[in-house]
Amino acid sequence: MNSKLILTALALPLVAVAVAVAVAFATTGLFTPPPVRGSHDVLHLAERIHLPGAVGPESLAFDPSGGGPYTGVADGRILKWDGQNWVEFAVTSSQREECSEAFNPSMEHICGRPLGLRFHRKSGDLYIADAYLGLHVVGPQGGMASPLVTQVHGNKLLFTNDIDIDDEEDLIYFTDSSTVFHRREFMPSILTLDKTGKLMKYDISSKQVTILLQGLAFANGVALSKDRSFVLVAETTNRRILRYWLQGPNIGKHDTFVELPGLPDNVRRNQEGEFWVALHSKTGLLTKWATSYSWFGSTMLKLSLNFKQLHYFLVGGKPHATAIKLSSEGKILQIFEDLEGTTLRFISEVEERSGKLWISSVLMPYIGIYTLQ
């Protein structure tokens, strides 16, 4: 028997015991992520806007005239909030005969699954990172989106995740979270410590794609700095945000912008040049083990656990919401939480606009609006 099989055989009962202990102590808070030091438990005061018949508004975008927000949901549609109702704005797939269910991961590759959204401020076009169908664009009137990038260097994009746009240079920065796993397999991607994610640049004029960073552990949210000197990319599994320099003496190099107390999703810049980061969940004991030791996460996948059970352990057994505001230098400025998950949970994006935080979630059937004090 080789050493790998021996380690797996030893790890299975150990992890099974850890999971059993986690279940037994679920109500005690032993494995629950603690409050982040200096945080404010205020997000339970947020207002909810529900999405009837839809779930998973992962990203939010406002058009150049201030309309919206727009959001992509799990059935493949992009919806627009008109102030009273959600109306259908665009789709990325024409094959929608079997796309009536609000949530059906097995159909995402057919129906499309729009994640990151960004408007080009000059053209008014909406650019879409569709997890399965690649980078798309649709005009200001909506409708059927057109594909821009579906493969890079001959390899199909498997998990297109987020984007940001340099409106001045007509450049799009976007991520592909994995070259091994699709979006519906994001749990195995994290638990096996997959490091095949990429940060890329698409030139709208030349239609050329350049790989800026690769070997990333779940490349996720993207945000360009206000002066366009660097672009940020969230590396979810490693619980940090990287900075890739686009200008200056460090051009072409990257460094760690900030280490975070949880799993970062999307990153969004405000008018002042600061950044809001949404944490899918904070780092609990099991989260730390799963994202630090590949044998632990891989062994968890071998247990008879479904998605909900795996997710339960990854997030520490307790729904919650955490939003972190960063300075342009990567210093943590503010942390807002809903510690009990009363109103918001598993958030994926925080967009600051006109004194309010618009907050989305890849798993919930609503968005939140929190009024800043």
Side-chain angles (χ1 to χ4, degrees):
M1 184 180 290
N2 63 41
S3 58
K4 192 171 183 179
L5 288 174
I6 293 173
L7 286 173
T8 300
L10 292 172
L12 269 171
L14 291 175
V15 175
V17 169
V19 169
V21 171
V23 172
F25 285 89
T27 57
T28 69
L30 178 63
F31 291 90
T32 302
V36 181
R37 186 176 181 181
S39 72
H40 303 280
D41 183 21
V42 295
L43 291 184
H44 62 280
L45 300 174
E47 169 195 355
R48 282 183 184 177
I49 301 179
H50 287 266
L51 290 88
V55 68
E58 200 268 351
S59 180
L60 301 168
F62 292 84
D63 63 37
S65 64
Y70 299 69
T71 190
V73 292
D75 64 15
R77 295 177 296 156
I78 295 167
L79 306 177
K80 176 185 178 181
W81 176 249
D82 66 5
Q84 298 292 329
N85 301 290
W86 293 99
V87 295
E88 185 173 317
F89 178 74
V91 292
T92 52
S93 171
S94 60
Q95 303 178 58
R96 298 200 51 79
E97 294 80 8
E98 304 296 326
C99 303
S100 58
E101 291 185 65
F103 182 70
N104 184 359
S106 66
M107 289 296 293
E108 289 182 345
H109 64 294
I110 302 294
C111 305
R113 183 35 169 130
L115 298 178
L117 304 178
R118 298 279 194 168
F119 276 96
H120 192 295
R121 296 297 154 188
K122 293 182 177 179
S123 69
D125 292 338
L126 176 62
Y127 286 82
I128 306 153
D130 187 290
Y132 297 83
L133 306 179
L135 188 63
H136 279 59
V137 65
V138 69
Q141 302 307 312
M144 184 69 214
S146 302
L148 296 174
V149 183
T150 58
Q151 60 178 19
V152 175
H153 297 171
N155 298 311
K156 190 177 186 300
L157 295 174
L158 291 189
F159 194 165
T160 321
N161 198 318
D162 196 27
I163 56 176
D164 200 1
I165 302 175
D166 183 338
D167 304 292
E168 299 299 322
E169 300 293 332
D170 278 346
L171 299 172
I172 298 175
Y173 297 92
F174 70 105
T175 48
D176 186 26
S177 294
S178 175
T179 62
V180 179
F181 298 100
H182 290 290
R183 193 214 72 84
R184 58 175 168 258
E185 301 165 318
F186 79 89
M187 288 294 292
S189 178
I190 292 174
L191 293 174
T192 60
L193 307 190
D194 172 50
K195 295 180 180 179
T196 60
K198 296 185 181 73
L199 170 67
M200 291 167 281
K201 176 180 70 175
Y202 173 74
D203 188 310
I204 296 174
S205 300
S206 69
K207 299 179 172 53
Q208 296 299 307
V209 176
T210 304
I211 298 174
L212 303 179
L213 289 175
Q214 52 190 337
L216 302 179
F218 204 106
N220 205 326
V222 183
L224 192 64
S225 66
K226 189 173 183 179
D227 64 1
R228 298 181 290 123
S229 64
F230 62 83
V231 61
L232 300 180
V233 56
E235 199 179 17
T236 299
T237 306
N238 284 339
R239 309 190 302 277
R240 66 182 181 180
I241 293 176
L242 301 178
R243 171 174 51 191
Y244 181 89
W245 289 98
L246 303 170
Q247 301 174 21
N250 294 317
I251 185 170
K253 297 180 180 180
H254 70 280
D255 54 19
T256 298
F257 188 66
V258 66
E259 302 273 357
L260 293 166
L263 304 173
D265 202 326
N266 288 345
V267 186
R268 290 297 181 264
R269 190 187 75 241
N270 65 15
Q271 291 294 318
E272 286 70 42
E274 301 155 335
F275 300 95
W276 282 99
V277 182
L279 297 188
H280 181 80
S281 70
K282 293 180 293 184
T283 304
L285 189 56
L286 287 181
T287 315
K288 187 174 183 179
W289 291 346
T291 57
S292 299
Y293 308 108
S294 60
W295 62 266
F296 186 87
S298 296
T299 306
M300 282 191 73
L301 293 172
K302 290 181 172 64
L303 301 175
S304 299
L305 302 173
N306 58 33
F307 169 81
K308 287 186 177 180
Q309 291 169 322
L310 282 171
H311 186 258
Y312 172 87
F313 294 121
L314 187 69
V315 303
K318 184 178 182 180
H320 56 275
T322 307
I324 299 180
K325 184 180 182 181
L326 304 173
S327 73
S328 59
E329 291 80 35
K331 179 183 177 182
I332 293 178
L333 301 176
Q334 285 182 311
I335 304 174
F336 292 157
E337 299 198 70
D338 185 343
L339 290 173
E340 301 299 321
T342 306
T343 304
L344 302 177
R345 49 183 63 182
F346 311 130
I347 64 175
S348 53
E349 185 172 303
V350 179
E351 178 82 27
E352 182 178 347
R353 188 175 182 85
S354 302
K356 299 179 185 293
L357 298 182
W358 295 74
I359 303 171
S360 58
S361 169
V362 71
L363 294 178
M364 296 294 107
Y366 51 78
I367 66 169
I369 307 173
Y370 174 72
T371 301
L372 293 167
Q373 305 301 314

